[in-house]
């Protein structure tokens, strides 16, 4: 109804309320009207309601903003009368009149959107001053200097924001006066100097605009309001909204508020405070203030701000007195307000205050930003204090912030020289020497060096070097490139796809932004931001507090999704279990084939001329694989272990250079020519869509047969009478049809029967498939007749659904994001409307065929909070992610469950 | 009801009729009972019904076969009584008794499935002979030699088929008797010799089986029937059914029929005949016969068969007399039967006859196999004769057979030595010299040589060489590899993916099956079979008769689907129009970039450092492209032309070898290092999923802008007042979102506005997209808000839906087909249940958003009859295929329409 009225412009039937007063004689809004009044306006109203000393004023609602843009930048007809009315009420509250030459009411005019958009939109202060009222202000405050300075600030600000006069011109005039008067600082200027500044400013305005600076306070007010509404669509604001995903139709409100001054003398002050320590989360009052100052002086750094509490001053060993000492009564009033606000909002607040002539005013309160550590501590503390529920505590911590708690981060105070920027592929901040080969990385690490492996891209052959290095840097590849996936799995810091870097591996040089580094030079990676820095930048080690375990425990109580991990080494599996993984959702067996003591036999198998030769080579690998699986089964102690049979194309295991081919030929006891021939024969144009996954299992059944046998023998070995029985889930990759699964399930079953016959043990295993091709999703009903579980391989499913190779996507996906073609990287957060629909189709059809079908996701999306929420909403059984993301996944899953519950309650 | 009775084995309620008599005293079956009686049995019954002289007998139905396999190879309880009854009726008809020592009834026992499975199953002749009845046969025929020979043949055949005694043992005994008697040929042996053979045969059987040869005729009959049913599941038959897609549950019938003998004397004869000439289709009686012979003698080649008609004998200048001369009465009777059969079946028949002692018998009739030419002529003639409708004529011609009419084919009589076998990628039989580079192909062709371009695989750089060559042979790639697609488009013969071939381009040698050829050696390709042959094999040129145009005209009347062509050169477009194309469904503009006079500017564009440099290079290309488009618009004369904007990744246009890079650097006026750097920068791991299609258009809008301008300027140039207005459909490739289309539609629209402003002409154009990614299909509803048409790019859609690169698929798809994992190559016939579902989803959602959305298909499937049928059924507007497949598509579309109508009538 309201919208219709706005659109038709017909206000006769239902008069729309556009303006909401707060403070003084009556408050019309409250905190729940954030959408209508913006964050600032809603909180001002709320504070006024609970009796806090808020300078009175009124808020022009966000609906005016929308009306304004829907109607060619005009205002609703009845806005004028509503503003007038609010202004009168304000005048009444304060006993002052707007434009009164003897004691003028002065106003601030500020924007205030639903979400905070710091610095994006415009503000005008001291509005209401003109040639007459400035004299009244001077008289009433007895401070000409203050009055003239206030007026010239207003002219400068108003011209900048409303009239579009170049601010630099004013600065020039000010400099001239300073030079002429021989003063260096603003504070040195006398009242007469400011009067001169004012004369020059007014001349400047008259010159630039061909008319004098507006003297009518009401015209000033409407000009300022128009400028604030106009700033909603300035380029800066548009860009900010795009980057933060804020819709344009939220609009901004305009807050018109009586001015209070912290700079009228030594009984004045201004400050900012947090109700708890935003760095540590400690339950102490934390803040800074300055006597006789304005808000911007606290943050500008020209004067050193002083502590608010004595305790903080003493802890810091600071000389300047605290507010608690200087203004003890006002401090006590502020400390009470701190408690009132926190109790009222049940959230840590960031507040601004001003003391004008001995009276305390609260200008703003909002939820305080905080570090990850603080977020965790505050949430747990507040729940323990009974201020919030455990559910709310779980909701309060951003899962992504946990990354900071699990990895070292750069010392925020350290100097840094950024050499290049890439994708933040795996978090952690590390420094080390540049190496350009995996072998070198391993060699130097054994000598005790910390190294960073720098490559155009990595391949499975580099695993040992990636493991040895403290960080990995690549010039190519995206968030799910080999380097990124493996680094996340190992918990190594990684910056991927830093396209600015030009590598010359032969020369051992690395060039970017006109600067060339050599192998052995030290660089620093910040895997959380994608920055690559020259030299060693100091880092801060993370510390896991007890709060972490407490919050995780609460999260586990609320979440519905199971959380598994993608792990294939004992180390990864142990890390994941320590982080709370409930099973392995993806054990990639190819990693078991690349070890130095195995690759020879893998290559013998590939180079074999007959199935028998191939089997002989595989037989050599069997005991090694059996041990790998046995280790994992022991660590997982009965938790399910999903093992994906060999997936990559065979050519990945073959050498690429002539020298390597010669080495391989010698090791495998065959001619170089036959190695080369096999390399050429196996080469593929698009290996991602090539002879891999179960296609290998079908053309080389002996490979899967051997893997299955190794799994089953390990299960027999570990699953003894006094131990937890092994739960093996054998996963067939890249299937697109039931027929593939049928063929391979037979191969697996026959290996199981043989092992059962030999051992006398009855095996507990399931055979399922990785749903990672669109056709598999569409034919899921048939697949589920054979498969006992599905694990969605959303990396490959994203690649095939979009037709995008993650290895090649960097060249255009960034541009796509910049242009807004895609909202985000679909390899980071699952594309719900494309890939997600296929996942849902597969779930529905799969469950229709097999109601107890177990459904999980093992792509990189399994560790992404937004994707986890989607997985929860559609009803998957579990997500699986890299070990270091397990806590993130637990928290995100809990939040998804809580938020869905909330949604249900809301709609009920 | 019947099925239930069979399954339960309960015959008490509804007695099942298992046995159907024909000929003699009454016929129970007819031609419509093919499923129950098999093809042979149904036709025998039908012929008996219309009064033709069929030796009487009975058919044991296919349901017995199914019962047999469902019940552990037992028979239904009441089968014995039904067989006995039928046998009594047969004895009554002929006045002979089975097993009668004085004048025995002899039987043949043959298989007869629903579809002909020539030579796959077993037959027993002369059944009913034993030591007693053979003497009766000798007495009654007065021919001991004939009787003994018949008995020994029976023993040999029965032992082979029923008793499993090695046939070689019998041949050895026969040889011994021949050696002992001094006779060389069977026909030289006397009655006494045959008696000796019989003694030895019976001794052999007794020795091999420990019991004598079965003397009870009834036991013989049940043995033979069991063997025929058993042969349904022999390996040979199973393989045949798999290869021909015949289901096992069709079962076979058993035909038991009175023997007639064409070899009892000179008043006996046997022959085969076609009611029209199966090679040319001429309406003449065509056939061969032999006096005093059995059926196998006609085909065995030991005696030269004689013509049936005098005319044929005279035309061939043959010495031996025709049947028309030797047996004029019987000939006239046969000629009448020819007309009766053709009129009755309204189809050309292939019949077998036997004359026993002056009496004519028809043993079999079936639809005659014929050449493509004959099929066309017969269909058109029969329709013109009023024998069949035009609809039926259209149904009768296999679209695939038209390929034979449009391309040269190998002389079927020519000798050939097959060097290797690949995929039949593009039809036509050609001979030429081996060349291994495109440049060499062009050079030699200019010198007047016919060459075959042999490569591991081809790329767009090879286009000029492929065009110059008469045929293309590759060792890698599948049915939709670059080589295959381009060759079909150009009408060049192509054998692709001949994996046996080992190419050594440096040495210029080609090795396969132990044989090495050199560049310059002549080879022959048969693109219809995939055979690669050594030397020049003679070929037959096709001749398009007037019948072709007539049939095509009828087809056009019945089809609903529009038929367009994939063409980008004037030559291709002209060919397609001459074949009846109704527009261009896919003009691939990348081909316009590879010409020698253009590639330099294309590369300058790619190597450009700034958008301006890039635009300058594109400006050079613009007039050339404008001419290309103008030529196509003129040829298409107002028919719609769908132009796909640039699709391949830019690296395809860059050189690969060091030398080429140096050349390019010089031509483009840049350093080699920067060429190399760009080549490396643009390289992709999976180009199929890379920076291509509209991704190029978005990151390099100047490319699409130039293309659009060239299209519009050409449209202005051609679409003058006195000419057909141009209908340009601009197609954006590889989109997965509406946002991409919106961005690029703007680029296109602004080019259109500029050209309209400059020319004053209002352009008639549409912007649409190629739906070739699963996400595009899923988001089709949104896409259709912007796109005015969809063209399904089912090549890429198949690649992404299956996750199979067509360039790499050969290594496993053949194995998948062999194992029955897939029914056929999904790049040849569309995968209805996966890719097809996505096409249907896209259609539904697209049409819901835009009811007049134009929908076509432009993948290779557009020329495949089975896929065309699917396109018709789901309701696409048109298919687009390579020029040489346009007639096939027209015919297939008509058949799809007729068959669907038939289906509707059938179910109504």
């Amino acid at each position: 109804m309201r919208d219709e009225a706005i659109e038709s412009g017909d206000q006769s039937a239902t008069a729309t309320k556009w303006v909401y007063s707060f403070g003084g004689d009556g408050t019309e809004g409250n905190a729940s009207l954030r959408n209508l009044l913006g964050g600032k306006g809603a909180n001002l109203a709320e504070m006024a309601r609970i009796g806090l000393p808020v300078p009175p004023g009124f808020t022009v609602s966000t609906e005016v903003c929308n009306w304004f843009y829907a109607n060619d930048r005009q205002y609703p007809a009845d806005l004028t009368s509503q503003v007038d009315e609010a202004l009168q009420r304000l005048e009444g509250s304060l006993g002052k009149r707007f434009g009164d030459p003897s004691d003028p009411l002065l106003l601030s005019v500020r924007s205030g959107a639903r979400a905070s958009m710091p610095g994006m939109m415009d503000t005008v202060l001291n509005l209401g001053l003109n040639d007459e009222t400035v004299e009244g202000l001077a008289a009433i405050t007895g401070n000409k200097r203050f009055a003239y300075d206030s007026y010239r600030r207003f002219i400068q600000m108003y011209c900048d924001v409303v009239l579009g006069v170049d601010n630099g011109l004013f600065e020039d005039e000010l400099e001239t006066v300073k030079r002429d008067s021989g003063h260096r600082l603003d504070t040195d200027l006398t009242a007469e100097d400011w009067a001169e500044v004012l004369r020059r400013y007014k001349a400047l305005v008259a010159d630039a605009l061909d008319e004098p600076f507006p003297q009518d306070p009401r015209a000033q007010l409407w000009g300022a309001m128009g400028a604030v509404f106009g700033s909603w669509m300035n380029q800066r604001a548009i860009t900010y909204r795009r980057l933060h995903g804020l819709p344009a139709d939220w609009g901004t409100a305009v807050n018109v508020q009586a001015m209070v001054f912290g700079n009228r003398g030594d009984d004045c002050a201004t400050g900012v405070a947090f109700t708890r320590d935003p760095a540590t989360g400690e339950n102490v009052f934390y803040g800074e203030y300055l006597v006789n100052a304005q808000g911007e002086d606290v943050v500008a750094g020209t004067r050193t701000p002083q502590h608010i509490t004595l305790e903080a001053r003493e802890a810091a060993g600071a000389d300047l007195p605290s507010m608690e000492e200087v203004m003890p009564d006002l401090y006590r009033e502020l400390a009470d307000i701190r408690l009132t606000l926190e109790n009222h909002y049940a959230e840590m607040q960031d507040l601004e205050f001003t003391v004008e002539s001995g009276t305390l005013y609260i200008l703003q309160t909002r939820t305080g930003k905080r570090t990850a550590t603080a977020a965790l501590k505050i949430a747990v503390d507040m729940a323990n204090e009974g201020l919030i529920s455990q559910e709310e505590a779980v909701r309060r911590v951003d899962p992504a912030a946990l990354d900071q708690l699990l990895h070292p981060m750069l010392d925020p105070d350290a100097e840094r020289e950024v050499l290049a920027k890439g994708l933040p592929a795996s978090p952690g901040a590390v420094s080390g020497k540049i190496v350009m080969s995996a072998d070198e990385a391993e060699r130097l690490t054994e000598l005790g060096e910390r190294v960073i492996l720098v490559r155009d891209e990595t391949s499975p052959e580099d695993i040992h070097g990636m493991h040895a290095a403290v960080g990995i840097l690549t010039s190519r590849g995206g968030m799910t490139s080999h380097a990124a996936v493996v680094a996340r799995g190992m918990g190594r810091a990684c910056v991927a796809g830093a396209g600015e870097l030009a590598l010359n591996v032969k020369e051992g040089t690395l060039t970017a932004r006109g600067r060339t580094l050599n192998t052995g030079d030290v660089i620093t990676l910040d895997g959380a931001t994608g920055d690559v820095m020259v030299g060693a930048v100091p880092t801060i080690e993370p510390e896991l507090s007890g709060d972490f375990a407490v919050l995780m425990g609460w999260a586990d109580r609320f979440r519905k999704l199971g959380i598994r991990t993608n792990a294939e080494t004992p180390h990864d599996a142990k890390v994941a279990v320590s982080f709370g993984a409930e099973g392995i959702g993806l054990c990639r067996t190819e990693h078991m084939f690349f070890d130095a003591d195995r690759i020879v036999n893998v290559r013998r198998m590939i180079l074999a001329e007959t199935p028998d030769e191939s089997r002989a080579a595989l037989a050599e690998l069997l005991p090694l694989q059996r041990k790998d699986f046995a280790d994992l089964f022991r660590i997982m102690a009965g938790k399910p272990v999903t093992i994906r049979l060999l997936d990559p194309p065979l050519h990945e295991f073959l050498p690429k250079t002539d020298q390597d081919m010669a080495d391989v030929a010698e090791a495998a006891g065959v001619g170089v020519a036959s190695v080369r021939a096999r390399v050429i024969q196996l080469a593929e144009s698009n290996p991602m869509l090539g002879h891999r996954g179960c296609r290998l299992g079908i053309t080389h059944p002996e490979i899967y047969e051997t893997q299955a046998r190794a799994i089953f023998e390990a299960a027999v070995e570990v699953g003894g009478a006094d131990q937890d029985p092994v739960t093996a889930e054998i996963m067939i990759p890249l299937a697109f049809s039931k027929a593939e699964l049928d063929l391979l399930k037979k191969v697996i079953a026959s290996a199981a029967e043989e092992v059962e016959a030999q051992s006398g043990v009855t095996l507990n295993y399931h055979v399922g498939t990785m749903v990672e091709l669109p056709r598999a999703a569409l034919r899921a009903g048939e697949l589920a007749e054979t498969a006992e579980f599905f694990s969605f391989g959303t990396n490959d499913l994203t690649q095939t659904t979009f037709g995008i190779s993650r290895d090649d996507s960097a060249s255009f996906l960034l541009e796509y994001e910049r242009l807004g073609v895609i909202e985000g990287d679909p390899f980071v957060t699952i594309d719900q409307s494309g890939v997600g629909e296929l996942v849902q189709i597969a779930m529905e059809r799969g469950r229709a065929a097999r109601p107890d079908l177990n459904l999980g996701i093992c792509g990189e999306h399994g560790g992404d909070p937004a994707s986890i929420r989607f997985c929860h909403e559609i009803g998957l059984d579990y997500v699986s992610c890299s070990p270091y993301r397990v806590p993130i996944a637990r928290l995100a899953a809990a939040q998804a469950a809580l938020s869905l519950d909330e949604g249900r309650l809301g709609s009920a």
Side-chain angles (χ1 to χ4, degrees), chain A residues 261-573:
Chain A
F261 295 94
N263 57 344
R264 270 172 61 174
D266 286 346
D267 57 350
C268 300
T270 192
V272 295
F274 290 84
T275 56
R276 303 195 183 204
D277 186 326
T280 65
E282 262 185 296
N283 190 356
V284 294
F285 193 24
Y286 176 97
E288 295 171 329
Y289 85 111
L290 279 174
V291 171
N292 193 15
Q294 280 200 309
E296 64 233 49
D297 299 325
V298 180
V299 287
T302 45
R303 288 169 60 189
T304 305
Q306 295 157 243
H307 291 279
I308 287 184
T309 64
L310 177 60
E311 191 184 348
R313 180 200 156 187
E314 285 173 351
D319 290 335
L320 295 168
S322 66
M323 184 180 177
E324 190 171 357
E325 296 159 275
V326 176
M327 302 172 164
D329 291 345
L330 289 166
Y331 168 75
R332 265 189 303 279
E333 191 182 344
L334 184 63
D336 285 347
I337 288 172
R338 168 206 172 204
L339 294 180
T340 305
L341 279 173
E342 227 189 40
N343 282 325
H344 184 72
Y345 283 100
E347 175 56 297
M348 190 268 265
Q349 295 294 300
D350 165 1
L351 55 115
E352 291 177 22
F353 63 89
T354 287
V355 175
E356 186 187 76
S357 309
T359 306
L360 176 66
Y361 295 97
I362 306 296
L363 300 185
Q364 166 148 321
T365 191
R366 57 187 171 188
T367 298
K369 296 213 185 298
R370 64 206 81 179
T371 63
T373 310
L376 187 61
K377 180 165 179 53
I378 291 171
V380 171
D381 283 353
M382 285 192 169
N384 286 337
E385 291 158 19
L387 209 53
I388 59 175
S389 66
Q390 291 176 356
E391 285 89 335
E392 182 58 23
V394 165
R395 269 193 210 102
R396 288 272 174 94
V397 180
D398 178 6
L402 291 186
D403 254 356
Q404 287 183 35
L405 303 179
L406 301 171
H407 297 280
M409 51 184 279
L410 288 183
D411 181 343
D413 299 329
E415 293 284 315
R416 59 192 77 179
E417 182 192 347
V418 174
L419 176 69
K421 206 167 165 58
L423 300 169
S426 178
V430 290
S431 304
K433 290 187 174 176
I434 298 170
V435 297
M436 297 197 174
S437 86
D439 291 342
E440 189 66 3
E442 200 170 47
R443 195 182 64 79
L444 285 178
T445 303
E446 278 165 13
L447 296 176
E449 302 273 11
R450 289 170 63 85
V451 301
I452 291 177
L453 179 61
V454 183
R455 302 290 300 254
D456 278 323
E457 55 203 343
T458 63
S459 76
E461 285 181 275
D462 298 320
I463 297 280
H464 61 296
M466 298 172 76
H467 199 263
V470 297
I472 296 129
L473 168 61
T474 66
S475 65
R476 279 156 59 168
M479 289 296 286
T480 54
S481 62
H482 179 266
V485 171
V486 172
R488 281 197 291 277
M490 288 179 174
R492 292 289 174 281
C494 176
V495 172
E500 298 172 86
L501 292 178
L503 258 71
N504 187 327
V505 176
K506 226 177 196 169
E507 308 279 326
T509 60
L510 182 67
T511 308
R513 303 191 182 176
R515 175 149 190 171
T516 299
L517 301 184
N518 295 298
T519 354
D521 288 349
V522 171
I523 55 174
T524 299
L525 305 182
D526 186 347
T529 63
D531 283 342
V532 182
M533 287 146 289
V534 179
V537 180
T539 58
I540 302 172
E541 283 301 313
E543 232 174 284
L544 277 187
S545 67
D547 295 329
F548 178 80
V550 170
L551 192 82
M552 285 294 119
W554 292 345
D556 288 348
R557 287 224 325 273
F558 303 132
R559 70 182 159 88
K560 306 277 194 304
L561 275 174
I563 309 293
R564 297 194 191 179
T565 191
N566 301 348
E568 38 272 336
T569 67
H571 171 262
D572 287 353

Side-chain angles (χ1 to χ4, degrees), chain A residues 400 423-425 478-481 484 488 794-795 798 802 806 809 813-814 817 822-832 857 859-868 885:
Chain A
L423 300 169
M479 289 296 286
T480 54
S481 62
R488 281 197 291 277
T794 50
N795 294 349
T798 300
F802 277 86
R806 58 187 184 182
S809 62
L813 268 196
L814 285 176
E817 284 190 64
I822 51 174
E823 281 179 25
D825 186 335
F827 293 107
V828 173
T829 296
I830 195 167
D831 160 52
Q832 296 190 16
I857 183 175
E860 287 295 307
H861 299 115
D864 168 67
S867 309
I868 290 168
R885 295 196 80 83

Side-chain angles (χ1 to χ4, degrees), chain A residues 489 570-581 635 883-884 886:
Chain A
H571 171 262
D572 287 353
K574 277 181 204 153
V575 168
V577 168
S578 78
F579 281 150
I635 293 164
Y884 286 89
V886 166

Side-chain angles (χ1 to χ4, degrees), chain A residues 637-710:
Chain A
K639 297 188 180 75
V641 177
T642 308
I643 297 162
R644 180 177 73 183
L645 299 180
L646 196 68
D647 183 54
L650 294 182
H651 53 74
E652 281 202 10
F653 298 95
L654 291 184
K656 286 170 189 62
T657 67
D658 287 352
Q659 182 56 50
D660 288 350
M661 287 189 212
D663 292 349
V664 167
E666 202 189 324
V670 298
V672 180
S674 73
V675 172
R676 191 187 313 278
R678 193 82 174 116
V679 167
I680 292 171
Q681 191 193 7
L682 290 178
E684 293 185 315
S685 309
N686 297 285
M688 186 55 62
L689 307 176
H691 191 162
R692 48 171 288 236
C694 70
R695 299 162 195 176
L696 274 181
I698 284 176
T699 57
H700 299 72
E702 66 276 13
I703 298 179
Y704 279 15
E705 183 187 314
T706 305
Q707 290 196 295
R709 176 176 279 276

